[in-house]
Amino acid sequence: MDFLRNKLILAPLVGGSDLSFRLLCRKYGAQVTYTEMCIADYFMNRKRKRKAYNFEFDESDRPLVLQLAGNTSEPIIKMANLEMFKGKIDGIDLNCGCPQSFAMEKNYGCGLLRDADALENLCKEIVANVPYPVSVKLRLHDNVDTTISII
């Protein structure tokens, strides 16, 4: 993801990274922005939950990274390959940083850090099946050595 090198990056914010906010942040120097975190399974398989996500795009909001959460590759891959994102995003980010209890219970966000091998396999499947560069947002583990071993 060369477009991330030496850039001012607006970190993804749950419920706060809509288009108007991203454009405002770009006005004040952000060079790369992220969509709000979207739980891929909810978006792909639960129509009621899908309505909670509002994806808006503007050509001036590039590069833009789609941040997804999930614990299995299939909904993440399907979502990343949706026609609605073609030509609108420049990368995919897997959220492994959300510490909220719902995320931990469902093994989303930093819940994925509990099993480094499973996380590695998940990332490999995503990378092999999406047409975008993939990054992973990590939360530092309480034990620094554990964080380093995951990386």
Side-chain angles (χ1 to χ4, degrees):
M1 292 187 132
D2 285 337
F3 63 82
L4 295 177
R5 290 191 200 289
N6 302 314
K7 302 289 186 197
L8 294 175
I9 299 170
L10 173 66
L13 303 166
V14 174
S17 293
D18 62 2
L19 177 61
S20 60
F21 182 71
R22 295 191 315 260
L23 292 176
L24 178 67
C25 291
R26 284 188 184 276
K27 179 179 176 180
Y28 289 98
Q31 296 168 298
V32 178
T33 60
Y34 284 67
T35 66
E36 72 173 293
M37 179 185 79
C38 178
I39 300 170
D41 181 55
Y42 288 4
F43 190 85
M44 296 305 298
N45 300 314
R46 300 178 188 180
K47 289 182 183 178
R48 212 176 70 225
K49 296 270 187 180
R50 177 181 263 198
K51 293 177 186 175
Y53 299 106
N54 182 26
F55 292 105
E56 295 178 290
F57 307 102
D58 187 275
E59 190 57 38
S60 65
D61 187 27
R62 303 288 292 277
L64 175 65
V65 180
L66 174 65
Q67 191 187 60
L68 299 176
N71 55 22
T72 58
S73 62
E74 183 182 354
I76 294 169
I77 292 166
K78 282 184 178 179
M79 186 168 176
N81 284 296
L82 288 174
E83 190 67 33
M84 69 183 282
F85 296 117
K86 290 183 179 161
K88 308 288 186 192
I89 63 170
D90 302 285
I92 301 294
D93 183 69
L94 178 63
N95 181 306
C96 293
C98 181
Q100 295 179 9
S101 59
F102 82 89
M104 295 298 290
E105 289 169 12
K106 297 193 183 265
N107 206 34
Y108 300 144
C110 62
L112 289 169
L113 302 179
R114 293 182 280 213
D115 185 345
D117 292 334
L119 175 57
E120 180 181 358
N121 290 332
L122 176 63
C123 290
K124 284 179 179 178
E125 288 179 41
I126 295 168
V127 167
N129 291 286
V130 301
Y132 307 101
V134 176
S135 63
V136 177
K137 174 186 167 187
L138 280 179
R139 178 166 297 274
L140 294 177
H141 196 279
D142 292 337
N143 179 322
V144 175
D145 290 334
T146 301
T147 303
I148 292 169
S149 73
I150 290 171
I151 294 171

